[in-house]
Amino acid sequence: NAGVTQTPKFQVLKTGQSMTLQCAQDMNHEYMSWYRQDPGMGLRLIHYSVGAGITDQGEVPNGYNVSRSTTEDFPLRLLSAAPSQTSVYFCASSYSVLAGGRDTQYFGPGTRLTVL
Amino acid sequence: GENVEQHPSTLSVQEGDSAVIKCTYSDSASNYFPWYKQELGKGPQLIIDIRSNVGEKKDQRIAVTLNKTAKHFSLHITETQPEDSAVYFCAASKSSGGSNYKLTFGKGTLLTVNP
């Protein structure tokens, strides 16, 4: 298994540009989520999905859009990038069932985004 | 919503010493408390977790304790080694529908183990 993969690893955008951060997992996990990590702020939840076709907002959803058309993929869209969205973005996934520790969240390697 | 406070923000120890990182949480309904280790340039990786029906859990050199009454939990690393140097995050969540997917993280502790 490749686990949780994210692309790209690095991205530089200009203010106002749009882009999509890709996240995929091959573990048949139902739950997927996006976090952003800023210095001294820990990780903050942006959006999450409890299964294909179902998404919901986290703590800091403004300026981001998500969709979940398949179990494997959970892309994060920046509609009009702003300097405040400069951050490291992590995707995570976990099983849906609390059984034998199967709800562990597995994180991807991250995407480092800079908005000029 | 849940609020997780983590202390200290930086911790420097000598190789072989113990390290303790403490977290407090605000929501008494939280019942799942994982700890993650993040090495430079990588994503967080779960190292140990504890659920609210357990007071202590140990895995080799790593242990976690939970005090539900006081709403705090701690990570203990014994016999520290240079490869333990990393940023450690605590987190808390409420089990909802059978899964703990909405984690609230502390701000992290940079642990440095000096040889």
Side-chain angles (χ1 to χ4, degrees):
Chain A
N1 286 352
V4 180
T5 58
Q6 292 183 237
T7 56
K9 292 190 186 303
F10 302 94
Q11 183 70 49
V12 178
L13 293 178
K14 294 181 179 179
T15 297
Q17 288 185 314
S18 62
M19 79 159 294
T20 300
L21 307 184
Q22 301 292 344
C23 173
Q25 51 87 15
D26 61 357
M27 298 175 280
N28 201 31
H29 286 173
E30 288 194 10
Y31 293 113
M32 297 186 74
S33 52
W34 278 100
Y35 294 85
R36 60 177 289 174
Q37 183 175 33
D38 302 294
M41 297 293 292
L43 292 96
R44 292 180 292 170
L45 183 64
I46 304 172
H47 285 285
Y48 64 95
S49 169
V50 301
I54 306 170
T55 64
D56 206 346
Q57 296 181 350
E59 181 185 354
V60 287
N62 292 341
Y64 307 95
N65 222 352
V66 293
S67 60
R68 184 96 179 271
S69 55
T70 68
T71 299
E72 295 78 19
D73 301 297
F74 190 44
L76 178 72
R77 297 183 185 85
L78 279 69
L79 308 173
S80 178
S84 61
Q85 294 179 304
T86 293
S87 187
V88 181
Y89 292 85
F90 290 100
C91 178
S93 72
S94 65
Y95 282 108
S96 64
V97 179
L98 181 64
R102 295 175 73 205
D103 56 347
T104 297
Q105 286 212 31
Y106 296 88
F107 282 80
T111 294
R112 185 174 294 274
L113 176 68
T114 301
V115 182
L116 303 176
Chain B
E2 174 67 277
N3 182 49
V4 177
E5 300 278 345
Q6 183 172 346
H7 299 280
S9 56
T10 61
L11 179 60
S12 182
V13 300
Q14 290 299 120
E15 183 177 359
D17 288 350
S18 295
V20 180
I21 303 171
K22 299 181 179 181
C23 289
T24 60
Y25 61 98
S26 61
D27 190 342
S28 57
S30 289
N31 56 9
Y32 175 65
F33 308 94
W35 285 88
Y36 284 83
K37 176 183 181 182
Q38 186 178 27
E39 297 175 340
L40 194 62
K42 297 184 178 181
Q45 184 174 18
L46 180 76
I47 54 172
I48 196 168
D49 58 12
I50 192 168
R51 302 178 196 278
S52 58
N53 58 348
V54 176
E56 183 174 1
K57 184 176 179 180
K58 190 173 182 180
D59 183 3
Q60 298 182 342
R61 297 186 297 107
I62 295 173
V64 58
T65 58
L66 171 66
N67 184 325
K68 285 179 59 181
T69 303
K71 290 190 285 188
H72 68 70
F73 56 111
S74 301
L75 177 71
H76 305 254
I77 305 174
T78 59
E79 301 172 21
T80 54
Q81 302 167 2
E83 50 265 38
D84 294 329
S85 296
V87 178
Y88 290 81
F89 291 98
C90 63
S93 75
K94 289 181 284 192
S95 177
S96 174
S99 184
N100 301 300
Y101 49 86
K102 289 181 67 177
L103 295 173
T104 299
F105 283 85
K107 294 184 178 180
T109 296
L110 174 60
L111 173 64
T112 303
V113 180
N114 302 301

